[in-house]
Amino acid sequence: MNCPHGHKEMKIKKSEEKVCFRDVQLSIPVEQYVCPECGEEAGTIDQAAAIQKSIADAYRKSAGLLTGKEIVEGRKKLNLTQDDLVKKMSVGIASIKRWEGAGIQSKSMDQALRSALHGQNTGDSCTGNRSFSLPRIKLVFVELEKALGKKLLKKNDKMLFAAKYLWYADMIAHRETGQSMTGATYAALPLGPQLNNYRELIEDIIKADPSSDEPLSPEEKRILTRVALRFPREQLVLKAAHGEPAWKKKSNGQLIPYTDSGELTAL
Ligand SMILES: [Zn+2]
């Protein structure tokens, strides 16, 4: 790479730089080109990407989260492909790819990652003994919307209400059938139980083809009817969820395991 000011070839310079990221001071290794004559600095796209990854990893280290490298190494140690990890954790492949790169996982997803990378079958309590299924989530919403006579899921939805209906449906199914309806994982957020990673899933739920997975059983349909009858208005499901010990006892971001389904009080 030549200096843009007409000087000769620039030289690679390695240094430690201080950056502030999410209010944390981080020291990261930086590699870029510097002109020995005028001091002009320039970086390639690859170098910029490496810096992004260094920032993400330094931040994760400081926050006690697994780094991208640790996730890749942990996965390879267990001989798991990214797809295997997707199945184990009930997340999208895009999430795994991001976390192994410059993306930063939430605390609850870090917890799930650690369990999965220890080879534990925690997928069971996270997913309620069912493989995560977007088509089934769609099926549940279609059924609930029919019973409630209104739309629950809209574009750019924050799922404030929809996630609570879904949570009750999954938890009650787990309690009564030993298996969740959708395999979804839930986290305790300030506004109540929420579908984990909902921001990344919502478009896929809306687009999902409900006929591409097992149809709802009569028992599951009966549970959904009960959920709709118990919470005919959205405010009711919100209020009920906020009264559940299964949510109240959790710290912010903590996963709500299906094993708590026995503690439900509203239904
Ligand atoms: Zn120069």
Side-chain angles (χ1 to χ4, degrees), residues 40-149:
E40 175 81 17
E41 295 176 340
T44 63
I45 290 171
D46 284 349
Q47 285 169 336
I51 290 169
Q52 283 307 311
K53 205 166 178 295
S54 295
I55 291 172
D57 276 350
Y59 175 81
R60 285 189 278 190
K61 209 164 232 167
S62 82
L65 301 170
L66 290 170
T67 64
K69 199 172 161 225
E70 286 170 335
I71 297 167
V72 174
E73 283 171 357
R75 179 169 63 71
K76 291 197 169 151
K77 219 158 96 186
L78 291 181
N79 265 326
L80 297 174
T81 64
Q82 288 184 327
D83 277 319
D84 294 335
L85 201 52
V86 161
K87 289 194 191 89
K88 252 179 140 48
M89 293 186 61
S90 308
V91 295
I93 185 86
S95 299
I96 299 290
K97 286 184 182 192
R98 262 208 338 278
W99 298 333
E100 292 190 353
I104 294 164
Q105 67 275 22
S106 66
K107 263 188 199 152
S108 53
M109 290 320 288
D110 193 71
Q111 198 182 317
L113 269 166
R114 282 171 196 275
S115 304
L117 295 178
H118 276 99
Q120 289 165 14
N121 281 334
T122 52
D124 290 354
S125 69
C126 290
T127 64
N129 305 320
R130 182 186 289 278
S131 297
F132 180 58
S133 166
L134 290 166
R136 283 206 129 228
I137 293 180
K138 180 79 173 277
L139 273 176
V140 167
F141 279 128
V142 167
E143 194 73 18
L144 282 171
E145 286 176 350
K146 225 172 11 178
L148 291 165

Side-chain angles (χ1 to χ4, degrees), residues 130-131 133-148 150-153 165-166 169-170 180-183 204-218 220-225:
R130 182 186 289 278
S131 297
S133 166
L134 290 166
R136 283 206 129 228
I137 293 180
K138 180 79 173 277
L139 273 176
V140 167
F141 279 128
V142 167
E143 194 73 18
L144 282 171
E145 286 176 350
K146 225 172 11 178
L148 291 165
K150 68 178 146 210
K151 268 239 166 298
L152 282 178
L153 202 60
Y165 278 108
L166 196 62
D170 268 331
S180 68
M181 289 193 201
T182 71
D204 291 337
I205 295 170
I206 291 170
K207 277 188 286 184
D209 172 14
S211 68
S212 61
D213 204 334
E214 196 188 334
L216 295 169
S217 71
E220 287 172 328
K221 285 188 178 183
R222 276 196 294 275
I223 289 170
L224 291 173
T225 304

Side-chain angles (χ1 to χ4, degrees), residues 1-11 33-43:
M1 187 182 283
N2 286 319
C3 175
H5 304 299
H7 303 125
K8 289 191 192 131
E9 203 168 338
M10 299 171 89
K11 293 211 156 62
Y33 286 94
V34 178
C35 172
E37 277 188 55
C38 72
E40 175 81 17
E41 295 176 340

